[in-house]
């Protein structure tokens, strides 16, 4: 009886817990502040970025799902004291124009867009890619597509390849934002949620990138 009551209480809490999880996962619970960024054109759309370039390699920050440049504010400022840095807003984030394709956005899409932006802003490699959460998948795919441009990768709580499938196989919860939830989100976040499993499929494992130096930073407390 006690076990049944606990299960009923858990079931009542589940929708609320799911909502909080999704909002935090998508928004990153970040403090998005207004900035004055530089702008460049990619595929006839304007994208915003910020950079300080005076030496190689360049540390390139790739945000997680739901986050833009602002999520890197404190880290960007610290790293810029000893390295060249580059951070940007993916299409639709903050004041980067949304490409509005209506299709899922995958790791390969993100990597190719970033490559064009780096080229158009005359930001040559080699790069050290710093990817947070889903941004880790995007960074790994970039390194696979452009191996000569990447000197190393830092995965900050990086989402592993095929994480959703492995999580669901173990009957764990929650493994990913529900696809139904994606349709409540702005189009750019919807595109990335719908493309998340495709991104997990596309991204290589670190081992598949050979001798490329890769460091993983993982939180051990909520």
């Amino acid at each position: 009886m006690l076990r049944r009551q606990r299960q009923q209480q858990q079931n009542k809490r589940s929708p609320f817990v799911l909502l909080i999880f999704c909002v935090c996962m998508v928004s990153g619970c970040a403090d998005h502040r207004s900035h004055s960024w530089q702008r460049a054109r990619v595929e006839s759309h304007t994208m915003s970025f910020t950079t300080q370039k005076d030496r190689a390699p360049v540390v390139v920050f790739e945000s997680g799902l739901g986050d833009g440049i602002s999520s890197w504010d404190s880290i960007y400022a610290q790293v810029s004291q000893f390295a060249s840095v580059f951070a940007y807003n993916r299409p639709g984030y903050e004041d980067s124009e949304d490409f509005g394709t209506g299709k899922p956005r995958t790791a390969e899409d993100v990597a190719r867009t970033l490559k064009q932006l780096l080229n158009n802003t005359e930001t040559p490699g080699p790069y050290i890619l710093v990817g947070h959460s889903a941004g880790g998948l995007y960074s790994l795919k970039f390194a696979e597509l452009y191996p000569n441009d990447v000197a190393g990768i830092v995965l900050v709580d990086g989402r592993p390849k095929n994480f959703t499938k492995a999580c669901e196989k173990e009957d764990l919860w929650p493994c990913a934002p529900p696809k139904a939830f994606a349709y409540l989100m702005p189009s750019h976040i919807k595109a990335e949620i719908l493309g998340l499993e495709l991104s997990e499929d596309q991204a290589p494992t670190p081992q598949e990138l050979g001798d490329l130096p890769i460091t993983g930073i993982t939180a051990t407390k909520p």
Side-chain angles (χ1 to χ4, degrees), residues 11-169:
N11 291 340
K12 290 179 181 178
R13 290 197 302 267
S14 293
F16 177 74
V17 173
L18 178 61
L19 176 61
I20 295 299
F21 162 77
C22 290
V23 170
C24 289
M25 188 173 191
V26 172
S27 70
C29 296
D31 175 21
H32 288 191
R33 285 166 280 177
S34 177
H35 289 262
S36 177
W37 293 307
Q38 302 177 59
R39 288 167 176 77
R41 303 286 286 181
V42 175
E43 297 182 10
S44 75
H45 296 280
T46 300
M47 294 184 64
S48 57
F49 68 97
T50 183
T51 186
Q52 295 182 32
K53 298 178 290 185
D54 55 9
R55 74 204 84 175
V58 180
V59 178
V60 177
F61 293 95
E62 184 69 73
S63 304
L65 197 161
D67 279 332
I69 292 177
S70 300
S71 63
W72 295 109
D73 278 349
S74 60
I75 302 300
Y76 182 95
Q78 293 179 59
V79 175
S80 65
Q81 297 177 17
F82 59 83
S84 293
V85 287
F86 185 98
Y88 77 110
N89 287 312
R90 291 192 298 275
Y93 284 93
E94 306 203 30
D95 61 351
S96 279
E97 292 182 0
D98 193 354
F99 286 16
T101 64
K103 299 178 181 179
R105 182 181 298 167
T106 67
E108 182 168 348
D109 297 328
V110 173
R112 294 192 184 281
T113 298
L114 174 58
K115 176 62 173 174
Q116 292 181 55
L117 181 61
L118 291 168
N119 289 345
N120 293 352
T121 57
E122 298 181 352
T123 307
Y127 311 114
I128 295 177
L129 306 175
V130 181
H132 169 239
S133 189
L137 298 171
Y138 306 153
S139 299
L140 291 168
K141 189 62 181 180
F142 187 101
E144 181 182 56
L145 292 174
Y146 311 106
N148 295 330
D149 292 336
V150 181
I153 297 177
V154 178
L155 302 174
V156 183
D157 276 329
R159 191 176 184 86
K161 179 180 177 68
N162 294 325
F163 173 81
T164 300
K165 292 177 181 177
C167 179
E168 291 175 346
K169 183 178 180 180

Side-chain angles (χ1 to χ4, degrees), residues 171-187:
D171 199 26
L172 300 175
W173 177 93
C175 298
K179 288 185 170 58
F181 181 74
Y183 292 91
L184 302 176
M185 292 287 98
S187 60

